[in-house]
Amino acid sequence: MPVNETLSQYSDWSYTTAVAVYVLAMIFFLVEQSFGRHGTDAAERTRTRQLVGAGAQAGSTVVGHGAEPPTAVRPARSRAERMGRTGLALTVLAAALHLGALVLRGLATSRVPWGNMYEYIMAITLFAVVTWIVMARRYPVRHLSAFVLLPVVILMFVGGTMLYAVAAPVQPALQSYWLVIHVVAAAVASGVFLIPGVASVLYLVRAAHDRDSGRFTRLAPKLPSADILDRIAYRTTVFAFPVFTFGVLCGAVWAEAAWGRFWGWDPKETVAFVSWVVYAAYLHSRATAGWRGTRAAAINVVGFVLTVFNLFFVNLVSVGLHSYAGVG
């Protein structure tokens, strides 16, 4: 079917606007991260609230005698809170534009919109952002959003410039219903895996500071507790791993239908299998008391590095049966 150039242009505009709004949201989150009060334990937060409440009560009793009620750090915290809320609202707006770009791309080409690297990166970054929005609403980690949006913006910038592909029908090798099943499972898993990757890196920073307070003194005190970061990494990996497993199995079935074999140790198949083993090792180590904590987080970071390696190097540099997944 012919490509609808108008819808394709709207998709590109929506994509570019989404990147710009993500960058703007990052600025708001960085302000919240810099000037908000984060990373303190529950006792310290409770004590601060009690002190502020006691000060406000004392001020109300003497305000009639010309004394000013103490404000402590409350205004600064409220400004940081507003910046964070604005950043989250901008992130939701950017995600809506991001989704619009993906849908318009599909409507313009009359197919699922993940038939090349540009579209695939558009899909995985969208799944990453949506996952993070859910996490930011469930855990007190909103101020960490800049750490998640930074790789998202980098991936989208690379995808929209160096890997951009003009809207067109997919190659014959991809004209299969397995493109909907296999690739969307891989995209969802890859996007969600970005979150535990970032959370595990931050966990290692926080854990290193907890062991030696002289390390990462500017960043670590503003991070949530290591337990929260570990919980986020574990729960997102638990969700993504079965999806990833399903995608690998579907890929094997598609390979048998297309090439007459379930597995051929193609570069992409090999790295995907190694990634699967690493994430399985992470989940096993996380469930084993002796390997929880820093060791498990390090394994998760290795899995994330392999996912990025599989996305770029294997698709764009290596030669194999998956070479059609490049920029064309």
Side-chain angles (χ1 to χ4, degrees), residues 1-13 15 100-120 122 159-160 163-171 175 326-328:
M1 296 182 65
V3 174
N4 188 319
E5 297 295 342
T6 301
L7 292 180
S8 176
Q9 187 66 51
Y10 287 156
S11 173
D12 293 344
W13 288 344
Y15 183 92
L102 194 66
V103 171
L104 288 171
R105 183 79 168 194
L107 293 175
T109 55
S110 299
R111 58 171 174 79
V112 290
W114 42 77
N116 52 58
M117 279 290 290
Y118 166 66
E119 297 169 358
Y120 186 70
M122 192 191 313
L163 301 178
Y164 178 78
V166 177
V170 294
Q171 299 184 29
Q175 293 177 2
V327 297

Side-chain angles (χ1 to χ4, degrees), residues 200 203-204 230 233-234 237-238 241 275-303:
S200 293
Y203 175 91
L204 294 175
D230 177 64
Y234 176 68
T237 304
V238 164
F241 183 72
S275 300
W276 185 90
V277 171
V278 170
Y279 279 115
Y282 165 75
L283 293 176
H284 176 72
S285 63
R286 180 60 175 69
T288 304
W291 278 79
R292 286 186 179 181
T294 302
R295 293 177 178 179
I299 295 174
N300 207 349
V301 172
V302 172

